[in-house]
Amino acid sequence: MEVDKGKGEAEETRKVAEADRDTVTLKSSDGKLFEVSKEAAARLSTVLAGMIAGGSIDDNGTDLKQIGSEALENVVDYCNKHANSIPSAALISSSISFNTAPFKEPEEWERKFVDRLSHDALFDLVEAANFLGMERLLDVTCHKISEMMKGKSPDQIREVFNIKNDYTKEELEEIRQELAWAFYDD
Amino acid sequence: MASALLRGADPLATNDGVLPTDVLREILLRVPAKELCRLRLVCRSWRSLTSDPRFATAHSARHPMFVGVLPDTGLDEIHLVDLHSGSVVKRIRGPKGLCSHLSTQAGLVCVSAEPIDRAAQDLVLNPATGAVSALPVGDRPSMVLACVLGHVPSTGEYKVVRVGNQVEERMKTVFQVVALGGGEQRWRTKPSPVDIITDSRFIAVVSGVAYFMATYDDDEHDDDSGSDMGPELVLLSGFSNIVADEERGGWSGVDGGEEEDMEERERRRREKREI
């Protein structure tokens, strides 16, 4: 009897410890494990918040089959950095703004965070942010990619985005003429 | 890297390149209007994505712009001004004879042309992409009073209503409507429910209904008996009603009540004339 009782207590303690854990473990498509603060994950990702609230978080690593380890590492890195940064007035107001408002400028640290990434890493990260419903990270990564488009020729854009030119020569000429008629730079 | 390789290796994938369409849309929404128009040259799917009116609406909400026309300067230019920077982001060269009247609706702008040129083409432009499309000339009334852009929320269609007078037919009022978007664009003449004289300054379109501040055009009004017929608000046409009424080939007021009012008014007017 006493043994059983002790076992029950241990079970109880373990459960409490689980509930009290302040991190969640995420597993990338290639099986690597990452820990992230539960509070930050729930605050920054609507998908993770839903999983935490719904109890579908696996202590041995919640499978995120759509996200590779490099992208997941960046996601976790972003969450940790975000937890440590003091939210600025701009960030606080962005949470209550309507989607008709102009996009918020990234914070300085967020700018640095995406600036160091390669094109591939950035594209993987924007998809991960989209998949996880991380509005702020999606904002920051999309902003960076939109800046990359500035001043690039259609050919350069196609190369960066791995897009095939599917226009015929005639069509391209037609669109060019349309543009020439409609626009000219200052 | 693995995912990038996978993406590159699939020749059957749609030509979105490395990014899924919903993410690409998010990115392109952040590209300023001036850059966006050049991106139409990248590929078909980017062109169709940025040409979509829903994209234009979302984009213009994020990049508020002010559209102005420079008429009577010989320039015939449309200027788009970014409201954040205050700078002119686009100058669109229009055909000769642009009219200063602009009508905007859900991210698109209609610029009407010279009112008394039967060969002039009215324009519809998309400030987000810079796409300018000239509407067909059609059977343009000899005096165009207004060109109004409307959006039918239920179908997502855009239509332009042109109101004018045939000077040579005793100023008969002419209503014409053209649906924008796919397929051949053709002005269709609608029977006019009432003779009016209106002015582009006195028109508003809200939720698919065009409101005209109108003065009844009535020869008899030159005498004193007509002096009480001042300008008043007439609900002439719901753009939504145009959709419904095209089936029947008719053109009606906004609702039955309004039509009755008009009939009643018409009756009273006739009585007045008889007196």
Side-chain angles (χ1 to χ4, degrees), chain A residues 91-108:
Chain A
L91 265 177
I92 292 164
S93 68
S94 80
S95 60
I96 52 160
S97 68
F98 299 104
N99 70 345
T100 51
F103 296 106
K104 288 277 175 288
E105 289 286 304
E107 302 274 297
E108 186 55 32

Side-chain angles (χ1 to χ4, degrees), chain A residues 38-55 57 132:
Chain A
K38 190 184 266 180
E39 184 276 326
R43 183 162 46 87
L44 296 170
S45 158
T46 54
V47 171
L48 291 178
M51 289 171 92
I52 291 165
I57 287 289
L132 290 171

Side-chain angles (χ1 to χ4, degrees), chain A residues 11-178:
Chain A
E11 186 88 344
E12 202 67 17
T13 321
R14 202 168 69 82
K15 270 186 185 160
V16 169
E18 263 173 44
D20 278 357
R21 271 187 60 177
D22 55 3
T23 60
V24 287
T25 308
L26 306 173
K27 194 180 191 177
S28 68
S29 60
D30 45 341
K32 288 193 183 159
L33 299 176
F34 297 91
E35 281 216 1
V36 63
S37 131
K38 190 184 266 180
E39 184 276 326
R43 183 162 46 87
L44 296 170
S45 158
T46 54
V47 171
L48 291 178
M51 289 171 92
I52 291 165
S56 52
I57 287 289
D58 186 341
D59 274 339
N60 298 320
T62 302
D63 268 329
L64 297 172
K65 290 203 168 67
Q66 293 80 353
I67 305 176
S69 56
E70 196 190 350
L72 194 53
E73 190 178 350
N74 282 323
V75 165
V76 168
D77 201 9
Y78 177 82
C79 288
N80 291 337
K81 282 203 166 78
H82 202 284
N84 295 332
S85 79
I86 302 152
S88 72
L91 265 177
I92 292 164
S93 68
S94 80
S95 60
I96 52 160
S97 68
F98 299 104
N99 70 345
T100 51
F103 296 106
K104 288 277 175 288
E105 289 286 304
E107 302 274 297
E108 186 55 32
W109 72 268
E110 289 173 317
R111 214 181 272 278
K112 281 184 185 149
F113 180 81
V114 289
D115 276 351
R116 68 189 169 84
L117 299 174
S118 70
H119 284 174
D120 276 345
L122 185 61
F123 290 152
D124 284 342
L125 185 58
V126 71
E127 279 195 59
N130 188 43
F131 175 76
L132 290 171
M134 300 178 72
E135 196 187 330
R136 182 62 196 168
L137 182 56
L138 188 64
D139 222 10
V140 173
T141 45
C142 284
H143 183 271
K144 170 69 186 168
I145 298 172
S146 75
E147 278 189 335
M148 278 162 44
M149 294 182 179
K150 269 184 199 159
K152 284 200 168 65
S153 71
D155 264 340
Q156 289 169 317
I157 298 255
R158 285 187 205 110
E159 198 185 320
V160 173
F161 291 86
N162 190 22
I163 289 169
K164 206 171 113 268
N165 180 4
D166 55 2
Y167 283 124
T168 63
K169 267 186 187 160
E170 292 75 24
E171 280 173 325
L172 270 182
E173 193 45 45
E174 197 180 304
I175 302 169
R176 278 215 184 85
Q177 277 179 1
E178 232 173 79

Side-chain angles (χ1 to χ4, degrees), chain B residues 256-269:
Chain B
E258 189 62 34
E259 267 180 281
E260 277 168 25
D261 285 351
M262 285 185 184
E263 281 165 20
E264 172 68 12
R265 185 179 302 283
E266 192 60 28
R267 192 178 57 78
R268 271 191 281 125
R269 224 167 67 176

